[in-house]
Amino acid sequence: MKILVLNCGSSSVKYKLYDMDGEKVLAKGGVERVGIDGSFLKFKDNNGESVVIEKPLPEHTVAVELILSTLTDPKYGAIKSYGEIDAVGHRMVHGGEVFKESTLITDEVTNTVKSLTDLAPLHNPANLKGVAAISKLLPKVPQVAVFDTAFLSSMEPYAYIYPIPYRYYRDYKVRRYGFHGTSHRYVSLHGAKFLGLDYNKSKIITCHIGNGASITAIKDGKAIDTTLGMTPLEGLMMGSRSGDVDPGALTFIMEKEHLSAHDLSEILNKKSGVMGVMESDSGDMRDVESAMERGDERAILTMNMYNHRIKKYVGAFLAELNGADAIIFTGGVGENQAVTREYVCENMEYAGIKLDKELNAKVRGKDVVISTPDSKVKVAIIPTDEELLIARDTLAIVTK
């Protein structure tokens, strides 16, 4: 069975085509700048060479149509016709309290996702555009929604309700939902298998650390707590997002600088985190690491702030879980930045964590154990693969 996975953003469409017999990736790529001048499709051809097709793409249906035509192109294509696509899996950001697992897309599901737009005003409408495009171009092909929030819906109320007047939860569903759930589910499942753990009888802390970042505590196969909240602003320091900040500090700044709610949101989402502390246009931790190696004091401060918050939450989740069987690092930083992994695991012997510093310093981007053989807690790098999990969910649902 061949399954197409789509991840539609407000101005982008990423895709992977899988042959689920062996879970082989047949094609992958992405469209950028949908609805913006200079739109293009970028992918690798059958020889592994990068190909860029520049074409006006005013909206998502045209973008998806270009992807499909490229997949069936005599020169670049991986399949001969649209008829070879058996199902399409979509990344959906927000399922609210309604969707607690992946689901077959129907008109009712689509309408319900639309009703949750207030919770994800940038993402849910964009995700639905991909559904609409496939419905138009491949009307008989089943589609499946895989929600970022679903895996995290197993949290208990004491972990997700905020200590503000309860009516805000009752009236507006203001609560912690968390995100990156598809990634946390994939790396915890794959990581448990790789480490020889019984997934349903293990305590695992997954650290998805990249430009966006979150940590999740998983007990016996269920998420019990996570760092991201109602929005992707809570928790860790990120590339351009602040993470945790005293709300009183924010109202103080608003009054001092006469900021609107929109102004403050722009600052916290797009001008804070690594970018804000570095006073830079880049939130890339590789740039911070390079500057730190040159002795840049601001870079050293930024790195220490960034790593400190990860360690603090790992420690909190160790307490919540009463220890852990494994700590897993994933994401662009988690997989590739040795200095962050070392900082988080340093002086944690009391919790049963012993890092192999020499091995940690030279490995990146692959499944590997980086703890010492006598470490009670296994520490590992597991590259995430959200698209594969979406494809697996899609296969399971359409073949029920």
Side-chain angles (χ1 to χ4, degrees), residues 30-294:
V31 172
E32 300 289 343
R33 302 180 64 83
V34 178
I36 305 171
D37 289 343
S39 51
F40 63 90
L41 168 63
K42 185 176 182 179
F43 61 95
K44 291 187 182 294
D45 66 14
N46 297 324
N47 297 315
E49 299 293 326
S50 291
V51 178
V52 176
I53 298 176
E54 297 180 358
K55 182 179 179 180
L57 299 169
E59 46 84 29
H60 285 72
T61 301
V62 179
V64 173
E65 190 168 22
L66 176 60
I67 290 170
L68 293 175
S69 64
T70 302
L71 288 173
T72 56
D73 184 85
K75 181 178 180 182
Y76 299 122
I79 54 177
K80 293 181 180 179
S81 71
Y82 295 174
E84 292 187 49
I85 298 174
D86 298 295
V88 178
H90 295 268
R91 179 198 179 213
M92 291 282 181
V93 167
H94 219 305
E97 293 187 327
V98 182
F99 297 106
K100 298 186 177 182
E101 58 186 14
S102 301
T103 185
L104 186 70
I105 296 175
T106 63
D107 289 342
E108 182 181 358
V109 168
T110 298
N111 290 333
T112 304
V113 173
K114 285 179 183 177
S115 74
L116 300 171
T117 294
D118 279 356
L119 297 174
L122 296 178
H123 295 95
N124 274 21
N127 301 155
L128 288 172
K129 287 178 181 177
V131 175
I134 292 296
S135 295
K136 180 179 179 180
L137 299 168
L138 303 174
K140 296 183 180 180
V141 173
Q143 301 184 70
V144 170
V146 179
F147 296 91
D148 265 6
T149 53
F151 179 60
L152 306 166
S153 66
S154 54
M155 290 188 293
E156 295 289 345
Y158 63 77
Y160 68 68
I161 291 180
Y162 290 117
I164 56 178
Y166 189 82
R167 68 182 182 88
Y168 295 123
Y169 169 65
R170 182 179 60 239
D171 296 346
Y172 308 116
K173 298 304 178 185
V174 174
R175 51 158 286 185
R176 174 179 289 111
Y177 291 97
F179 302 93
H180 301 144
T182 308
S183 176
H184 288 295
R185 182 158 64 106
Y186 174 83
V187 297
S188 59
L189 278 165
H190 182 69
K193 183 178 180 180
F194 177 71
L195 296 170
L197 299 173
D198 182 342
Y199 184 64
N200 295 314
K201 295 181 180 179
S202 296
K203 295 180 287 188
I204 301 171
I205 297 173
T206 49
C207 304
H208 177 109
I209 313 297
N211 189 52
S214 63
I215 302 176
T216 294
I218 301 163
K219 184 177 181 180
D220 301 337
K222 293 183 178 181
I224 65 166
D225 208 347
T226 194
T227 56
L228 289 175
M230 179 175 173
T231 75
L233 267 178
E234 193 175 356
L236 304 175
M237 177 179 174
M238 301 172 230
S240 66
R241 297 187 186 119
S242 64
D244 294 340
V245 180
D246 176 4
L250 302 180
T251 56
F252 178 85
I253 293 168
M254 289 179 77
E255 291 174 354
K256 284 288 185 182
E257 301 211 344
H258 309 291
L259 301 175
S260 67
H262 178 268
D263 293 335
L264 184 64
S265 179
E266 287 288 299
I267 291 168
L268 296 177
N269 278 290
K270 299 179 181 179
K271 300 177 182 179
S272 295
V274 174
M275 289 176 63
V277 179
M278 286 292 291
E279 297 182 303
S280 166
D281 292 333
S282 170
D284 194 320
M285 288 303 293
R286 290 171 294 189
D287 295 336
V288 175
E289 191 169 9
S290 296
M292 187 178 72
E293 290 170 356
R294 299 192 299 269

